Amino acid sequence: MSLINTAFEGLKRLYGHLSRVQRTVIVVTLAMMLMALVLPSSNQAPPGMTRVSLPLSVDDSEFQGFSAEKSDDEEPKGHLYYVVAKGDTLSKIFENLGVPQATLYQLLEADVNVLALDTIQPGHKLEFQFDEKERLTRFTFRSGLTYMVDFTRGEKDDFEFVEHIEKGQHRSEVFVGTVQGNLHLSMQNAGTSLAEAYTVSNVLKTRMNFRKDLRAGDQFQLVISRQYVKGQYTGNSKIEGFRYLGKRRTLEIYNFDGNFFDEKGRSLEKAFQRIPLKKRYRISSNFNPRRRHPVTKAIRPHNGTDFATPMGTPVLAAGDGVVTRVIRHRYAGLYIQIQHGRKYRTRYLHLKKAYVRKGQKVSRGQKIALSGNSGRSTGPHLHYEFHINNRPVNAMKAKIPEVKTIASKHRKKFKAMVKTLTARMETFAKAQQDELQQAQRDAG
Ligand SMILES: [Zn+2]
């Protein structure tokens, strides 16, 4: 409290030293900041437009090559470049440049097909081309290094557009590091971006318990394919391979056709198997939310699917998750509930024996129980429930992310890829190790 008071007193004294003009500026700025907080953004910008930027800054060099269609002999006269900065709107930019609002609306009409101008942000680049009557004939929007939309005034006086997406060059890079502190920081120390570190840890955490499995000094290796445009990293990248070589855990991740798999070709995505059993059993009772009681005729929904499993049939976790319940219930019998992320939940009823405890992490396909006949049951079976957003759905028909395994025809290609990536990571790690030892010898 005293700290705040001291700061406030300091500010008051400082304010006292300011000139009248300075004070006015401060008051007006504060008032504007307050208004910006209070007023909804729709009061500040026309609908469909995002608030953006400030001063007119010309940066020709940045645009070299981006106006690929611009011929070199063309007069630069009537050309204007604008870098979007903080605090301005698209309409304000047009106003400052003396471009009629009607022209802006024509552009926005064309933009409805791409919605590029909706996402205008500080740092984005605008390019204007006017004719001798100062009419806007061409307008180019560029975000980042890879995306550009080119609007040209057509014959009917409206604007036509062409979208350009720069492919750039992809460079595959190897990174090797050791765990010191948390994984994100350790990966960034090894040269990855925070986004890349997150991508990896999101896949990893489906299989690893960071608190238990991570040890200081554990080694990790990565191959990342990064996109470059004119030698500049665009921020777009793809994790090609990752190996975690720990004292407690070893885990490998490989990207194949946009999906992550372990070294054996098993999917590492959050996926489910449709049936929580090793093989198909006869369905003795289907999911039926409108089922009526045979005697009372009251609606007694059957929120699950019953499989006619003999006593002691292994029951498997339908997906990766955390066991949230292992309960012996009067009617449901011994049952298990697993939470799979926030959205999905599964339940397994009438069990004979449970192999998991509450709070335990399980992975897809893991044996969690033996089926039985416990609780109120007319005979040995497994009652299986699948919930999406806390609502039971028909597990046999619901849209659920299903298991992807690498098709046998792609196996050879996958294995070859794993071999190549592993060799690259190992070579890099070895070179790094040799260098370190050499440095130590030199120092000693
Ligand atoms: Zn049932």
Side-chain angles (χ1 to χ4, degrees):
M1 206 56 203
S2 65
L3 197 77
I4 294 168
N5 281 335
T6 315
F8 186 70
E9 282 306 312
L11 279 173
K12 246 168 72 181
R13 234 172 297 135
L14 185 71
Y15 188 79
H17 288 297
L18 296 173
S19 73
R20 241 184 98 168
V21 174
Q22 282 171 324
R23 285 184 199 181
T24 313
V25 167
I26 288 173
V27 169
V28 169
T29 308
L30 284 173
M32 278 168 71
M33 280 166 71
L34 197 67
M35 271 167 69
L37 282 174
V38 172
L39 292 176
S41 59
S42 58
N43 285 5
Q44 300 168 352
M49 238 184 280
T50 317
R51 248 186 94 74
V52 271
S53 96
L54 241 157
L56 182 74
S57 52
V58 177
D59 189 357
D60 206 337
S61 64
E62 292 263 330
F63 279 84
Q64 297 285 317
F66 132 53
S67 321
E69 298 82 45
K70 192 176 77 181
S71 57
D72 287 342
D73 48 305
E74 204 180 274
E75 268 304 305
K77 206 178 78 186
H79 242 104
L80 211 61
Y81 300 102
Y82 191 95
V83 179
V84 176
K86 241 178 165 180
D88 220 356
T89 62
L90 198 57
S91 61
K92 216 155 133 193
I93 298 169
F94 275 62
E95 203 186 313
N96 289 343
L97 298 178
V99 184
Q101 291 290 301
T103 305
L104 173 58
Y105 293 141
Q106 281 180 317
L107 277 172
L108 291 175
E109 210 179 320
D111 185 54
V112 102
N113 304 288
V114 277
L115 295 176
L117 302 179
D118 259 4
T119 61
I120 202 162
Q121 271 170 30
H124 288 170
K125 285 155 189 171
L126 312 177
E127 185 180 349
F128 298 80
Q129 171 75 59
F130 303 96
D131 64 9
E132 59 287 346
K133 289 176 198 155
E134 288 184 14
R135 225 168 48 120
L136 184 70
T137 52
R138 190 164 160 202
F139 175 74
T140 309
F141 165 80
R142 184 181 176 112
S143 70
L145 290 159
T146 54
Y147 186 74
M148 171 185 142
V149 194
D150 200 6
F151 298 89
T152 324
R153 197 182 283 277
E155 282 168 15
K156 286 179 190 161
D157 207 38
D158 53 359
F159 284 92
E160 288 159 8
F161 70 89
V162 187
E163 211 175 0
H164 300 271
I165 298 162
E166 176 75 63
K167 285 203 184 76
Q169 286 98 41
H170 283 268
R171 269 186 235 154
S172 182
E173 296 166 14
V174 185
F175 303 87
V176 171
T178 50
V179 172
Q180 305 294 341
N182 79 51
L183 187 64
H184 290 148
L185 207 65
S186 309
M187 284 178 67
Q188 285 180 87
N189 286 340
T192 78
S193 71
L194 185 60
E196 288 159 352
Y198 268 118
T199 305
V200 170
S201 69
N202 271 334
V203 182
L204 272 185
K205 73 182 177 199
T206 64
R207 288 294 166 92
M208 259 173 94
N209 182 336
F210 289 168
R211 221 180 320 149
K212 273 195 200 154
D213 299 336
L214 239 60
R215 286 283 188 278
D218 282 357
Q219 194 188 67
F220 56 84
Q221 312 173 340
L222 294 106
V223 179
I224 303 175
S225 169
R226 286 178 166 176
Q227 187 195 37
Y228 286 84
V229 171
K230 293 178 209 28
Q232 241 185 301
Y233 175 41
T234 64
N236 295 332
S237 65
K238 189 182 100 181
I239 310 292
E240 293 191 322
F242 174 88
R243 297 170 86 210
Y244 190 88
L245 308 165
K247 292 176 193 77
R248 264 184 72 102
R249 276 301 295 272
T250 300
L251 210 100
E252 298 183 38
I253 298 174
Y254 297 96
N255 192 326
F256 191 73
D257 271 346
N259 290 309
F260 289 114
F261 297 90
D262 67 11
E263 73 280 10
K264 297 215 169 86
R266 290 176 300 212
S267 171
L268 287 166
E269 305 284 332
K270 274 213 170 93
F272 292 90
Q273 47 189 72
R274 185 67 72 175
I275 293 165
L277 297 159
K278 277 183 188 155
K279 60 176 186 118
R280 265 181 184 278
Y281 287 88
R282 182 177 63 85
I283 292 176
S284 52
S285 181
N286 268 305
F287 175 86
N288 183 2
R290 311 288 308 162
R291 184 174 72 170
R292 285 180 190 276
H293 189 274
V295 180
T296 64
K297 304 286 177 205
I299 289 182
R300 280 281 181 79
H302 186 230
N303 284 335
T305 305
D306 291 350
F307 296 98
T309 48
M311 287 292 279
T313 305
V315 177
L316 316 175
D320 296 350
V322 177
V323 177
T324 46
R325 286 183 202 172
V326 181
I327 287 176
R328 212 169 272 279
H329 186 274
R330 192 177 170 87
Y331 302 113
L334 175 65
Y335 83 94
I336 294 172
Q337 175 179 291
I338 302 174
Q339 190 73 38
H340 312 271
R342 289 169 100 178
K343 197 173 170 188
Y344 305 103
R345 191 164 72 192
T346 52
R347 282 180 186 160
Y348 315 78
L349 277 59
H350 309 301
L351 304 170
K352 181 183 173 207
K353 186 176 170 53
Y355 290 116
V356 290
R357 310 173 311 275
K358 189 184 167 184
Q360 188 179 330
K361 266 196 173 186
V362 290
S363 40
R364 184 186 61 231
Q366 184 179 332
K367 184 161 111 176
I368 53 166
L370 294 180
S371 76
N373 191 26
S374 59
R376 188 159 71 185
S377 175
T378 49
H381 77 284
L382 173 73
H383 171 105
Y384 172 59
E385 291 183 15
F386 196 92
H387 297 205
I388 301 179
N389 294 326
N390 299 323
R391 284 232 179 92
V393 296
N394 186 347
M396 300 302 104
K397 288 184 175 158
K399 268 200 166 182
I400 58 173
E402 277 188 272
V403 176
K404 279 169 268 155
T405 42
I406 288 165
S408 49
K409 61 177 175 183
H410 294 134
R411 281 258 155 197
K412 233 174 138 179
K413 199 177 153 198
F414 176 75
K415 275 189 180 166
M417 184 197 77
V418 170
K419 210 175 153 188
T420 310
L421 289 174
T422 308
R424 281 186 63 195
M425 290 187 265
E426 281 295 328
T427 308
F428 191 96
K430 174 116 197 352
Q432 205 180 52
Q433 186 66 26
D434 290 349
E435 215 172 285
L436 196 76
Q437 277 171 358
Q438 188 60 48
Q440 276 166 353
R441 269 198 299 274
D442 291 350

